[in-house]
Amino acid sequence: RSIQLSAGKTAFDYAEGEGETVVLVHGFSIPSVVWDNTYKTLARQGVPVLRYDLYGRGFSDRPNVRYDADLFVRQLKELTDEIVGGGKFVLCGLSMGGAIAVHFADRYPERVSRLVLIDPAGYRMTTPVTAKLVQIPGIGDYAGRLMARRAMQKGLAENFAKNVPATIEASALVQTEYAGYADAIVSTLRHMNMSDMEEIYERVGKKKIPTLLVWGKKDKVIPFGNAELVRKAMPHARFLPLGNAGHIPTSD
């Protein structure tokens, strides 16, 4: 399904149920297929659950705009206003989706009943050479269009402690063929704050929203040690380390 929002169409899945809706926000490059296990399990249990593709990813539009926190928070706000309504919901973010969830909770704490952060971005991490290259104006745009699919193929395995699930690999790669994908990725790298969010995490921590922090100990994308930084900013959060999981424990 898709819905027209202010910046373009957003592809989503929504399963109705009883109780508060769980809203699932995926990460930087792999679209909402990454939530297959979580979405299907919650839906079978009768829990209302919503997952969607961020702008520039999956089957959502690739608008010619600045891909920053404002864009992604606005997409989440407009989508939940339409699908969930004006009440509270459980907000669950993975990787960059965790950063988006924290940005959202900072701006709209009255909408978030509980917060689940899975290997979230927001603190310093190692930036691949390719990512640094595409952030350079001019040459970066050309390099991004040329290397988008190759970078996806190379980086997929780093997200998982085990093999890359076939459905995730197929969905992640097919989106690279759609016009506007590479430009959206480049713009996100340039404008989305994913490594300097300490103050924002601390502000959200002071709001005392019930929070669960989940982190795979074998994460090769965002260091497991960053969990301690999040816990310092959110001392009330419950922490669940996963010994055999990588960056995307939902599919390991």
Side-chain angles (χ1 to χ4, degrees):
R1 301 165 62 184
S2 66
I3 186 171
Q4 180 68 45
L5 303 178
S6 62
K9 290 183 178 180
T10 291
F12 71 95
D13 289 310
Y14 178 61
E16 296 184 354
E18 296 293 329
E20 289 182 331
T21 299
V22 177
V23 179
L24 306 172
V25 188
H26 69 78
F28 175 75
S29 57
I30 304 175
S32 61
V33 66
V34 77
W35 291 115
D36 268 1
N37 294 340
T38 307
Y39 179 86
K40 292 174 182 178
T41 298
L42 290 172
R44 282 197 301 267
Q45 294 176 352
V47 177
V49 56
L50 169 67
R51 66 173 174 177
Y52 67 101
D53 290 335
L54 295 169
Y55 288 130
R57 284 85 174 161
F59 294 110
S60 288
D61 281 349
R62 285 104 165 95
N64 183 21
V65 297
R66 183 186 178 104
Y67 284 74
D68 57 12
D70 289 340
L71 175 72
F72 294 125
V73 169
R74 186 168 70 251
Q75 181 187 24
L76 176 55
K77 175 67 162 55
E78 292 176 355
L79 180 63
T80 51
D81 283 351
E82 290 290 337
I83 306 300
V84 181
K88 290 189 173 186
F89 53 85
V90 179
L91 182 55
C92 181
L94 167 66
S95 190
M96 187 182 82
I100 294 170
V102 171
H103 277 290
F104 185 91
D106 183 41
R107 301 183 196 187
Y108 303 104
E110 72 282 359
R111 298 298 305 279
V112 183
S113 64
R114 284 171 287 171
L115 191 59
V116 181
L117 304 175
I118 305 176
D119 297 58
Y123 288 84
R124 186 166 298 179
M125 55 186 174
T126 302
T127 303
V129 175
T130 304
K132 292 180 180 179
L133 176 63
V134 300
Q135 293 182 55
I136 302 173
I139 189 174
D141 298 277
Y142 174 77
R145 296 186 187 109
L146 185 67
M147 301 166 63
R149 183 178 178 87
R150 190 182 310 167
M152 174 66 76
Q153 287 176 314
K154 184 178 179 180
L156 266 176
E158 295 180 356
N159 287 279
F160 304 92
K162 302 174 184 176
N163 295 330
V164 181
T167 54
I168 289 180
E169 182 175 22
S171 296
L173 291 177
V174 73
Q175 67 176 344
T176 66
E177 303 295 335
Y178 301 158
Y181 170 79
D183 290 341
I185 290 296
V186 170
S187 182
T188 306
L189 284 169
R190 290 176 178 171
H191 304 300
M192 177 64 192
N193 179 8
M194 290 187 283
S195 61
D196 186 24
M197 291 179 56
E198 182 177 355
E199 291 184 4
I200 301 174
Y201 269 90
E202 289 176 350
R203 285 203 303 267
V204 174
K206 291 176 181 178
K207 300 179 193 300
K208 298 293 180 66
I209 299 170
T211 300
L212 172 63
L213 176 64
V214 181
W215 217 300
K217 287 187 174 182
K218 296 182 179 179
D219 193 333
K220 298 178 182 178
V221 178
I222 302 179
F224 177 73
N226 281 15
E228 290 305 312
L229 300 176
V230 176
R231 296 178 72 190
K232 182 179 178 181
M234 299 178 162
H236 68 288
R238 178 189 170 196
F239 182 42
L240 179 62
L242 301 177
N244 294 316
H247 183 58
I248 302 182
T250 56
S251 300
D252 270 333

